Amino acid sequence: MSQKSDEFEPLGDNPFHVLGLRPDCTRVDVEREGQKLLGMLGLKLKSAATYMSPLGPRARTEDKVRAAMAALRDHEKRLGHEFWASLPPPATPPKPPPAPETRGPGPAPLAEAFAALGWRRS
Amino acid sequence: MTSAPLYVGIDLGTTNSTAAVFDGEKVALVRNAQGSPITPSVVRIDARGNVSVGARARRFLDSDADNTRSEFKRLMGTAQAIRFAAAGVERRPEELAAEVLRSLRADVRDQIGVLPARAVISVPALFELPQTSATSEAARLAGFERVELLQEPIASALAAGWTVEDQGGAWLVYDLGGGTFDVSLLETRDGLLRVVGHDGDNFLGGRDFDWAIVDWAIAQAARDGVVITRADPAHAAAVRKIKLAAEEAKIELSRAESASITAPGLTVGGTDYDLDVTLDRETLERLCAPAIDRSIAVCRRLLQAHGVAEGGLTRVVLVGGPSVMPVVRRLVSEQLSVPPAEGLDPMTLVAQGAAIFAATAGLEARPAAIEPVRGAKVWLQYPAMSSDLTPHVVGRLVERTGPVNSVPTEVQLGRSDGLWDSPWTPLDEEGAFVLPVSLVPRKPNVFRLAGKNIQGNAVALDPPTLTIVQGLTISDPPLSRTIGVALASNDVRVYFERGAPLPARRTFTLHTVDSVARGAEKAVIKIPIVQGEYEQAHLCRLVGALEIGGKELKQTLASGAEVELTIELDRGGRMSARALIPAIGQVFESVAHLLVPEADPEVLESTVTATRGRLGELRTDAFRRQARDSIERLTQVESALDDVGRDIAAARGGDADAAQKARRALIEVDALIEGVELDRRWPELDREAREALIWTTGWVQDYGQPHEQTLYQETAKAVEKARQGRDPLELQRQLRLLRRLGSSAYGRHPEAWKHRFEDAAADVGNATDVARAQALVKEGREALAKGDNEALRRVTQKLWQLLPSAPEDRRKGHESGVR
Amino acid sequence: MSSRIDAALVLARRALSKVAALVAAAFAVRVLAVEPTYAVASALAYLILLVALGGWLVALLDLIGGIVWPVLRRTVIAAGLVRASYWLSLLARASWERDREGGKLVAAALALLHRPHDAALATWLEGKIHANAKTGLGGIVATGLLAASRGDSDGARDILAGADAFDPDFAPAAARRAANDWLVADAASRGDWITVIRRGVLPGQATAYTRFLARAAARIRGEALPGEPNPTDFGLWISWLLAPGRKVMRPLLVEARAAPRVLHQRKPPPPQPAMTVPLVDPAAHADDPVAHAQALHATWLALRPKTPGQAGTELEQRLSATRMQELCRAWEEAWPHAERRMRQRVAVLTTQTRAEEALAGIRRAVARELAELARAARLPLATFEVEVLPTAALAAEELRAELLTGVETGSEELRARTAADRRLPPAEESRAWNQFRRRYEEAVLLGGMPLRYLLFPQVHRDVCGYAVWLWNDRKEYGLSGPMFRWLLAEAEAVGDVEAIELQRKNVGAKR
């Protein structure tokens, strides 16, 4: 059976991270924060467009916020999400990715490999 | 623009329809031209093509049945056309529903003075996609520019919650309509209503009471020697008259102790007959009890599924016409040990809830008027209705350029009662602000929006005010049934589970099974979208299909190509789907045939016959195995099949609704049987495993090579583990290996090929080419006589090739082209 | 014998058509002679005569030296003349003797790569490919090159890699070289030098272009090439001189010559790219075992490749068996704490789910992700400490089930398609088979002998049936021959006596 339940990626899409809340928040906090974020996303405000997760910054969408609110309203589901939210997301944005010099030994990718044959690059 | 908001809710019922309006504080029912808040869902088209709706049409239901139609809601989403003989026209069910909606819309205009452009319409909780989509279509035909659909139990709960002060705990909405039964388990906490779950029976309702009374009346008539058959089209008119009389008697018995069923002038078998029998309340209760018991069983199932113990409910709200009957209220309350909520009108509660929900959804009924801009334009986002006492208002300036004096840099919100003002808040670099506001409970709260420019002078903002109603709100409406895509393996890739909040959107990457050449007319990849809770696609209902045809393809599509399929559902549960094929960058969007399949009585009958055959086999087997659980489930199947048989008979008499009911029941029967078969297969597999262990052990010990013996031991362990874990897939896998090991070892036995040859020779009658197989057998016997083992092996192998392999599995997954 | 007669007949037919052309030319001269434009008409007629005779001449030259194809590649094809390339490749008889139609398709597909993308021409070529009922490697390679021309590099890579699995007896070398050229260029442009070195000097497929790239890469990386020593300065220079695109490849030559020459074959030092800085530092959560396990988990999850199946990722280089054990151990330490915490929360939230049930669900989710990590990092199942660590055992179980199901589903699909006689276009057929084979090989790589034993009976049954169908019913000898050889090798690996015997016979079968 290839049924996959409607679950979040536990760490990256954790509803608490999506709503920017911690596991000890109340039900009212969930509604209030969710409603605020939906409003901000509706007006395309940049400050609401991303959230931090332990796997890095992720895009916040209205669908995700709605799903996160629904998940935290349901205590059975909330229980599992609380577990995964034990790890707080990093406060600071991640460091920039390592410089391209960090490749293994060997020549750099040869961008002109196709041109050498007179071909277009696919 | 008037300051009080106006929200419209409509309960489009099977038997009756109602409209209600909400102004943020109070709900009012809309009365029709006859002064009643209830409009019968009946449409009549006369010979001149004039359409009449409601009570005026209902009068003709008896006398002019061919031109007067009711209960068309049950046919919503089917292709069934409804014929009006005198006018010689045909109408789709949604066209008739549109007539009712149009009439209710006109009533609102007559009473309030506004022809509503937006509204909320209620639908049964277990309506499937084709039915919801037909309802939306009806609203569009009736002239609404935007509607949202709301499930009936949520509407009732919202209305009940709005009226009742004390709201804590779990409660039940028991909604027995004319033709459908829904039950919802709800929970209220912190002013927020949550649907914990719902269940129901799409084909149980007050109509079952009516038919029970009709059957009783027919039985009474039989005592007079008059035989009336429901399935006989010649008796259709008589049956209709009896049914009307039965309905009236039923209503009367809500108050009186006895009532008479009078239907004079029935024509049966060429003779006239006057039916006049007296029905007392006791008999009525006896007749209705089975249907009520069925509904209570559904309630128990729901409570059990959500772990609510007996007596764990705070109250039950009874909704729908038939629930007015004292017997219904008594039995439900007694059997579920829960007090019924008092003071609520079961007939109009749904419409009231729909009107309140229109506020939550911000569906202002007045058509949007084009008004001059009166200052700096601001986009606002705020909840039209909020249970939270301090919700947020988010705003953003549309234009941030212009003369410095006219561009605000700070904003403030102030409540119109003058008791609360927000601090002056500077706009951020995007020209936006986020402000919490304070609400007065259970009232519409009007806030004025004020702005200041850089010099501190006032700047007019547009809109100047906004209204937020405080009160019980419902979280996003939940999806009534699981939606997914049928895969070629007959599995379902679930997109949205039952209860998922709407609106919702999800994308999964699927893979094509076959390739489709560009321009190939017949080649189509079908992506079937199904709805239902079953794990196997063929048991779920096909509600739409997205097709990728060779004709539309820009390039040839490879097999195994990725298809990113997105399914989107709006708040009313309306679906749209979109398939992106990244390899060729093409998008397909048209979803084909969103219809409930036709249910032809002949086809249904043959399915019943086939199912009975299967049932017989399974039952024999279950008795042999003494499998009590299976026997019990098969008994259930049998009684369901009897019901189906009755429905098919009614369908033959022209009752299209009964045909749909039968079709649906057959799907459920199929699922039950499937479960029994699964149980049956396991012992067989288990036995095979035990047998295989016995025969292989000896061979591998005697003739196996050392590495085979080691592997054998591991495999035997794995077989045991799979048996203990009741894992059929793993067991089959290990069995294959076990057999192979055994057979390899056995192959080294000097007499092995002799035995194999004999086995194959015994099966020669099934060969694809019997003559050639017989020749081979003869050849084999000669080799056997000569003791030529090598020749015997050759012959046996050739023989094997002529014997049939297992037949190809049926492709059940709605012919899905994706995996 | 009969094939010789056939060939003679074919030649006779072609000669006849040439004669007809000459007659037509003469007729044209006569008709035009009565017109005043006599000079033009005669010039035209002579031109036709010349082309007809020229065709013969070229064909003759080609038969002697097989020179037409190389000339075409450098002229008409290089000029991007798609239709002309298609028709003129008919003259390259020697190069495309076994797959005449395929030669036309490959020529056109190559020409398409030599010009700016032209959707109409691509569609035209696609029509030609579909019209070609007879399968040959040419059709497959042309499909791959067409995909490349349309920008579908992944698709092209998949299809063209199938050329390796095609029976060389039925595969024109020109087609295999064209496929290999593209695959090497693609690998070089992605910086996948291991593939360049492996493919660049493949006998029967290598060209001057691929040889130079492989030698330069081998020299820079200090690696030996398959079957030849690390190249000298002079050797590099000669390879460069022979290769096309000297100007753009000059910097590579300079870089290679500057690298020291390694005379003895040695394994390249393990690549040590700087590790991506983890977002959350597991050490910062040492006092909370649950957060510590999650932080460690997050560190590895963050390194998952963006596209599944991607090779040589940071995760693959970093996540060793020891580190996987460390992760599993961290989870093992976290569970008792998690359970305690869960019990408290269950009481507060008054949920129906018991703490153990909720935790069991989480353990399964963790195991699924660990299995996914192990698969992406290519960690064999045997390296899981299943006896000591229950979390590792659960993850191993998940991975095993995933690998088995993947192969079984693929195998079942082949069987179903065979039974239903559902045919795919040749390129698709080749791709479907290669995809299945890769899946099987991955399962064997990660699952080892136990999985191989477990899978082989079903795979043998289904693939053998599929290959027999390709051979008997569809005459796809080029595809099915290698399948029998593959099955034989697998049967030998698992020691299945009956299968070995059967496949030996199949491999020996002649069309």
Side-chain angles (χ1 to χ4, degrees):
Chain A
M1 180 66 207
S2 64
Q3 268 216 11
K4 261 196 177 170
S5 67
D6 205 15
E7 61 193 316
F8 294 82
E9 198 186 312
L11 275 171
D13 293 335
N14 190 290
F16 288 103
H17 301 330
V18 171
L19 297 178
L21 293 168
R22 294 300 303 146
D24 54 4
C25 67
T26 64
R27 172 96 183 261
V28 176
D29 292 335
V30 171
E31 297 302 325
R32 190 175 296 157
E33 207 53 31
Q35 176 259 319
K36 184 183 91 181
L37 288 169
L38 285 175
M40 293 171 81
L41 289 167
L43 295 183
K44 301 192 169 39
L45 299 188
K46 277 196 209 106
S47 46
T50 52
Y51 65 91
M52 270 312 276
S53 83
L55 299 182
R58 302 222 160 179
R60 185 190 270 135
T61 60
E62 290 184 32
D63 292 334
K64 265 192 188 173
V65 172
R66 268 202 198 90
M69 287 167 78
L72 297 188
R73 274 177 206 134
D74 184 339
H75 285 184
E76 311 293 326
K77 286 185 182 158
R78 178 172 170 148
L79 189 65
H81 295 309
E82 279 186 359
F83 169 84
W84 284 105
S86 314
L87 180 68
T92 48
K95 295 186 182 111
E101 278 74 28
T102 55
R103 62 185 166 77
L110 184 65
E112 301 86 7
F114 287 102
L117 285 165
W119 289 349
R120 248 179 311 117
R121 205 192 150 90
S122 313
Chain B
M1 188 171 162
T2 334
S3 60
L6 176 69
Y7 303 106
V8 174
I10 294 173
D11 170 14
L12 182 62
T14 308
T15 323
N16 294 306
S17 297
T18 315
V21 290
F22 177 56
D23 63 2
E25 213 164 343
K26 287 192 301 295
V27 188
L29 293 172
V30 176
R31 296 191 178 271
N32 57 24
Q34 289 77 33
S36 164
I38 290 163
T39 301
S41 305
V42 182
V43 175
R44 171 179 150 79
I45 303 180
D46 67 16
R48 278 171 298 177
N50 293 327
V51 179
S52 53
V53 176
R56 281 196 299 141
R58 195 181 191 281
R59 280 202 297 273
F60 295 92
L61 204 52
D62 174 24
S63 57
D64 186 19
D66 284 350
N67 300 304
T68 314
R69 301 293 180 169
S70 64
E71 297 192 355
F72 37 80
K73 180 180 168 186
R74 290 154 177 263
L75 297 176
M76 294 282 266
T78 66
Q80 192 95 35
I82 298 162
R83 193 167 165 72
F84 290 84
V89 293
E90 281 193 345
R91 291 280 183 270
R92 286 175 295 138
E94 52 266 40
E95 287 175 311
L96 297 183
E99 292 297 344
V100 176
L101 289 175
R102 200 172 284 140
S103 154
L104 294 172
R105 199 168 166 234
D107 293 340
V108 176
R109 182 197 54 207
D110 295 346
Q111 187 169 322
I112 315 283
V114 177
L115 189 63
R118 285 174 284 266
V120 167
I121 299 176
S122 64
V123 287
L126 292 178
F127 247 24
E128 284 160 345
L129 288 176
Q131 294 158 302
T132 47
S133 117
T135 308
S136 299
E137 172 65 8
R140 196 190 59 79
L141 292 173
F144 284 104
E145 72 185 37
R146 207 180 131 209
V147 290
E148 278 204 15
L149 305 183
L150 176 69
Q151 291 157 9
E152 283 163 10
I154 301 174
S156 322
L158 205 51
W162 183 263
T163 352
V164 179
E165 282 295 329
D166 159 43
Q167 302 168 348
W171 43 304
L172 212 58
V173 175
Y174 175 101
D175 181 357
L176 190 60
T180 52
F181 170 64
D182 293 317
V183 56
S184 300
L185 178 63
L186 298 117
E187 174 208 66
T188 353
R189 253 190 231 182
D190 309 323
L192 203 81
L193 189 64
R194 187 170 77 92
V195 181
V196 180
H198 48 215
D199 204 333
D201 187 332
N202 241 352
F203 295 95
L204 171 68
R207 221 180 56 131
D208 293 273
F209 299 164
D210 300 342
W211 283 120
I213 301 170
V214 170
D215 287 341
W216 176 82
I218 287 175
Q220 301 301 310
R223 286 188 188 168
D224 298 340
V226 179
V227 181
I228 305 171
T229 317
R230 263 171 68 183
D232 188 349
H235 296 175
V239 171
R240 214 164 24 236
K241 278 186 187 167
I242 300 174
K243 186 162 172 268
L244 273 176
E247 277 175 49
E248 279 163 17
K250 182 185 75 180
I251 293 166
E252 204 179 326
L253 280 173
S254 295
R255 296 180 299 271
E257 279 304 312
S258 70
S260 62
I261 301 175
T262 335
L266 302 179
T267 314
V268 180
T271 56
D272 278 359
Y273 172 69
D274 297 333
L275 178 79
D276 187 7
V277 288
T278 309
L279 175 67
D280 59 33
R281 198 184 261 190
E282 200 182 317
T283 313
L284 175 76
E285 290 184 0
R286 187 169 48 77
L287 292 174
C288 297
I292 302 174
D293 286 346
R294 254 169 81 196
S295 74
I296 291 171
V298 176
C299 296
R300 289 219 168 96
R301 189 168 71 195
L302 175 70
L303 295 178
Q304 200 180 6
H306 294 278
V308 178
E310 193 98 338
L313 295 169
T314 53
R315 68 180 162 302
V316 57
V317 176
L318 290 121
V319 195
S323 68
V324 183
M325 285 168 69
V327 59
V328 176
R329 301 181 83 81
R330 200 190 72 227
L331 285 179
V332 169
S333 169
E334 272 173 19
Q335 298 209 23
L336 298 175
S337 25
V338 54
E342 299 299 339
L344 303 171
D345 177 8
M347 300 295 282
T348 61
L349 205 58
V350 170
Q352 295 179 41
I356 297 170
F357 183 73
T360 309
L363 278 185
E364 168 66 50
R366 287 188 180 83
I370 300 158
E371 289 175 40
V373 177
R374 291 160 294 182
K377 182 95 182 126
V378 183
W379 279 319
L380 288 177
Q381 287 278 335
Y382 58 91
M385 188 149 162
S386 167
S387 54
D388 185 2
L389 286 167
T390 53
H392 288 92
V393 173
V394 186
R396 184 178 187 172
L397 280 183
V398 177
E399 284 282 344
R400 290 165 62 202
T401 49
V404 180
N405 285 344
S406 64
V407 177
T409 52
E410 282 181 73
V411 291
Q412 187 199 39
L413 280 165
R415 206 165 63 202
S416 60
D417 60 8
L419 295 175
W420 180 89
D421 284 323
S422 77
W424 280 98
T425 308
L427 297 176
D428 67 11
E429 70 270 21
E430 291 181 88
F433 64 89
V434 179
L435 276 174
V437 294
S438 169
L439 302 185
V440 180
R442 299 176 79 81
K443 283 224 176 311
N445 292 259
V446 180
F447 293 91
R448 65 188 153 63
L449 182 60
K452 269 201 303 208
N453 65 14
I454 199 154
Q455 283 113 11
N457 300 325
V459 178
L461 297 179
D462 184 55
T465 58
L466 58 105
T467 308
I468 302 177
V469 179
Q470 201 285 331
L472 179 82
T473 58
I474 175 85
S475 46
D476 291 326
L479 178 66
S480 58
R481 282 172 185 272
T482 302
I483 288 181
V485 166
L487 305 179
S489 56
N490 195 28
D491 285 340
V492 178
R493 163 57 64 88
V494 172
Y495 269 66
F496 309 104
E497 280 189 349
R498 173 149 79 173
L502 299 179
R505 180 175 47 203
R506 272 198 118 179
T507 305
F508 280 117
T509 304
L510 309 169
H511 294 89
T512 57
V513 174
D514 290 329
S515 70
V516 177
R518 192 186 66 88
E521 295 213 358
K522 284 183 190 153
V524 167
I525 286 179
K526 192 172 155 195
I527 307 177
I529 300 168
V530 294
Q531 197 170 20
E533 318 310 318
Y534 301 108
E535 294 192 348
Q536 286 159 301
H538 74 281
L539 295 176
C540 297
R541 177 181 279 193
L542 180 70
V543 290
L546 202 119
E547 292 189 347
I548 301 174
K551 266 174 80 182
E552 296 100 54
L553 278 175
K554 286 194 292 196
Q555 286 173 37
T556 294
L557 191 61
S559 70
E562 288 188 353
V563 179
E564 286 177 9
L565 183 76
T566 305
I567 300 183
E568 200 170 346
L569 295 165
D570 72 4
R571 290 174 73 94
R574 273 162 303 186
M575 181 188 72
S576 55
R578 181 175 181 276
L580 166 72
I581 304 169
I584 59 175
Q586 210 176 341
V587 172
F588 291 82
E589 281 181 310
S590 53
V591 177
H593 66 88
L594 264 164
L595 281 180
V596 176
E598 296 263 354
D600 176 35
E602 303 304 325
V603 177
L604 292 173
E605 189 67 63
S606 69
T607 315
V608 169
T609 314
T611 311
R612 279 199 195 279
R614 236 169 120 198
L615 179 70
E617 280 169 34
L618 284 172
R619 196 205 295 276
T620 316
D621 180 77
F623 275 114
R624 211 182 50 227
R625 288 188 290 124
Q626 285 297 303
R628 281 183 55 196
D629 184 48
S630 296
I631 295 172
E632 217 165 87
R633 271 189 283 173
L634 290 171
T635 313
Q636 230 178 315
V637 168
E638 184 149 44
S639 84
L641 280 181
D642 290 344
D643 286 347
V644 171
R646 270 194 292 279
D647 286 324
I648 294 176
R652 283 191 206 284
D655 186 347
D657 172 33
Q660 285 297 339
K661 182 175 168 187
R663 194 187 62 80
R664 173 133 218 109
L666 278 175
I667 290 179
E668 271 154 31
V669 162
D670 212 13
L672 270 172
I673 287 190
E674 203 77 31
V676 174
E677 284 200 334
L678 207 71
D679 279 0
R680 185 179 75 154
R681 276 200 297 273
W682 175 256
E684 219 167 82
L685 198 63
D686 192 47
R687 198 189 62 233
E688 273 177 39
R690 269 179 287 132
E691 285 172 4
L693 274 173
I694 294 165
W695 75 259
T696 50
T697 310
W699 296 124
V700 176
Q701 263 172 11
D702 296 348
Y703 298 100
Q705 289 172 352
H707 80 270
E708 285 177 336
Q709 286 168 349
T710 321
L711 186 62
Y712 182 81
Q713 277 163 8
E714 280 171 25
T715 315
K717 259 192 248 163
V719 166
E720 275 310 319
K721 198 177 161 208
R723 282 180 61 200
Q724 277 163 17
R726 280 181 80 103
D727 182 346
L729 197 72
E730 179 66 13
L731 188 56
Q732 276 168 342
R733 205 181 262 155
Q734 297 293 351
L735 263 181
R736 269 204 301 271
L737 179 59
L738 202 67
R739 288 195 181 116
R740 194 183 67 71
L741 286 170
S743 147
S744 290
Y746 172 69
R748 295 187 198 104
H749 186 280
E751 301 242 298
W753 284 105
K754 184 182 155 197
H755 297 143
R756 284 173 179 167
F757 169 74
E758 292 297 353
D759 274 355
D763 211 11
V764 80
N766 293 324
T768 45
D769 180 349
V770 178
R772 167 136 176 72
Q774 279 165 343
L776 281 169
V777 169
K778 197 168 156 236
E779 204 180 311
R781 298 229 181 277
E782 282 163 12
L784 205 59
K786 277 192 241 157
D788 185 349
N789 223 9
E790 183 53 29
L792 190 63
R793 186 181 60 81
R794 233 181 6 251
V795 168
T796 312
Q797 278 175 345
K798 279 186 194 162
L799 207 51
W800 280 345
Q801 286 175 3
L802 293 178
L803 294 176
S805 59
E808 178 64 6
D809 292 339
R810 264 191 311 149
R811 294 194 80 203
K812 285 174 169 177
H814 299 292
E815 291 168 2
S816 175
V818 288
R819 59 180 157 83
Chain C
M1 183 66 199
S2 69
S3 68
R4 275 193 204 158
I5 295 171
D6 280 350
L9 277 172
V10 168
L11 275 175
R13 231 181 357 250
R14 282 184 196 148
L16 266 175
S17 68
K18 297 281 174 188
V19 169
L22 289 175
V23 171
F27 182 71
V29 171
R30 279 193 152 195
V31 170
L32 289 168
V34 294
E35 299 293 324
T37 51
Y38 174 80
V40 177
S42 55
L44 192 67
Y46 280 120
L47 201 66
I48 294 171
L49 271 169
L50 206 65
V51 168
L53 287 173
W56 277 99
L57 204 66
V58 170
L60 204 66
L61 279 171
D62 191 40
L63 274 175
I64 299 164
I67 60 155
V68 175
W69 180 249
V71 170
L72 277 179
R73 276 202 70 168
R74 279 166 185 75
T75 53
V76 187
I77 293 176
L81 303 170
V82 177
R83 286 194 171 86
S85 304
Y86 179 82
W87 292 113
L88 284 173
S89 67
L90 272 176
L91 300 172
R93 284 151 191 260
S95 306
W96 294 97
E97 195 50 56
R98 295 192 199 95
D99 189 6
R100 194 65 61 80
E101 192 60 30
K104 284 153 67 180
L105 298 173
V106 172
L110 284 170
L112 203 59
L113 278 177
H114 275 283
R115 57 179 296 146
H117 181 64
D118 182 329
L121 277 176
T123 309
W124 172 80
L125 177 59
E126 192 174 63
K128 291 281 176 205
I129 292 174
H130 285 298
N132 175 23
K134 177 88 182 70
T135 316
L137 184 61
I140 296 178
V141 171
T143 311
L145 295 176
L146 179 64
S149 163
R150 281 169 162 160
D152 176 13
S153 298
D154 294 339
R157 207 171 299 134
D158 222 17
I159 297 172
L160 292 174
D164 294 345
F166 210 85
D167 195 335
D169 286 350
F170 297 93
R176 299 177 70 196
R177 286 196 192 111
N180 198 46
D181 270 357
W182 190 90
L183 288 168
V184 170
D186 169 63
S189 71
R190 289 183 291 117
D192 177 5
W193 295 102
I194 297 175
T195 301
V196 174
I197 293 172
R198 186 175 59 80
R199 287 199 156 273
V201 290
L202 275 182
Q205 297 189 35
T207 59
Y209 168 75
T210 64
R211 277 191 206 101
F212 169 68
L213 282 180
R215 284 173 186 155
R219 174 76 176 260
I220 295 169
R221 291 170 63 95
E223 274 179 66
L225 285 151
E228 54 179 272
N230 203 266
T232 59
D233 281 5
F234 181 69
L236 275 173
W237 186 76
I238 289 287
S239 304
W240 173 76
L241 212 59
L242 292 173
R246 280 185 293 275
K247 197 174 157 197
V248 294
M249 299 228 268
R250 198 177 163 82
L252 193 61
L253 174 71
V254 173
E255 190 184 346
R257 286 175 62 158
R261 185 172 178 236
V262 179
L263 287 173
H264 303 287
Q265 185 169 347
R266 63 174 172 86
K267 266 192 99 59
Q272 279 302 327
M275 181 154 173
T276 308
V277 188
L279 281 169
V280 274
D281 182 8
H285 299 280
D287 53 335
D288 177 356
V290 178
H292 177 253
Q294 289 180 352
L296 207 56
H297 196 80
T299 309
W300 293 117
L301 278 187
L303 294 184
R304 271 179 307 186
K306 296 284 175 286
T307 46
Q310 200 179 320
T313 57
E314 192 177 343
L315 184 71
E316 197 179 331
Q317 289 159 6
R318 298 241 164 228
L319 183 56
S320 61
T322 323
R323 283 181 170 153
M324 181 52 113
Q325 279 158 23
E326 182 195 9
L327 179 55
C328 290
R329 215 165 290 127
W331 276 118
E332 225 50 77
E333 279 162 28
W335 295 131
H337 297 266
E339 194 171 334
R340 256 198 311 282
R341 232 177 270 176
M342 201 68 105
R343 276 185 214 287
Q344 286 165 4
R345 291 304 294 162
V346 160
V348 174
L349 294 172
T350 59
T351 58
Q352 266 185 68
T353 321
R354 287 178 300 123
E356 300 79 41
E357 284 168 10
L359 207 60
I362 290 170
R363 288 176 88 129
R364 269 197 304 279
V366 167
R368 265 202 301 275
E369 290 197 327
L370 290 177
E372 194 195 323
L373 283 174
R375 193 173 182 179
R378 288 170 212 269
L379 285 179
L381 272 172
T383 60
F384 281 77
E385 285 190 331
V386 291
E387 306 294 336
V388 214
L389 301 170
T391 306
L394 211 56
E397 214 170 275
E398 286 283 342
L399 180 57
R400 185 172 164 280
E402 207 176 287
L403 294 171
L404 282 172
T405 314
V407 175
E408 284 170 350
T409 317
S411 185
E412 181 56 36
E413 252 173 54
L414 289 182
R415 191 181 77 85
R417 216 149 51 72
T418 310
D421 195 18
R422 217 164 53 236
R423 300 170 180 218
L424 299 181
E428 287 311 316
E429 206 66 80
S430 149
R431 178 142 78 156
W433 159 244
N434 285 315
Q435 268 173 356
F436 171 74
R437 206 191 54 193
R438 278 200 295 274
R439 218 185 290 171
Y440 177 85
E441 282 163 2
E442 186 203 8
V444 167
L445 175 77
L446 300 187
M449 275 323 257
L451 228 61
R452 205 174 198 175
Y453 276 116
L454 209 49
L455 284 170
F456 184 73
Q458 186 191 350
V459 167
H460 180 258
R461 181 194 71 191
D462 298 344
V463 172
C464 186
Y466 172 63
V468 166
W469 173 58
L470 285 175
W471 182 281
N472 287 348
D473 296 12
R474 302 181 52 187
K475 316 288 176 219
E476 301 279 9
Y477 307 122
L479 281 176
S480 55
M483 285 180 200
F484 292 131
R485 279 197 284 279
W486 182 83
L487 279 174
L488 177 59
E490 276 306 305
E492 282 169 348
V494 298
D496 186 331
V497 185
E498 283 172 48
I500 294 173
E501 205 171 327
L502 179 65
Q503 295 315 328
R504 279 207 184 119
K505 265 193 284 169
N506 282 340
V507 168
K510 288 276 170 282
R511 75 174 146 141

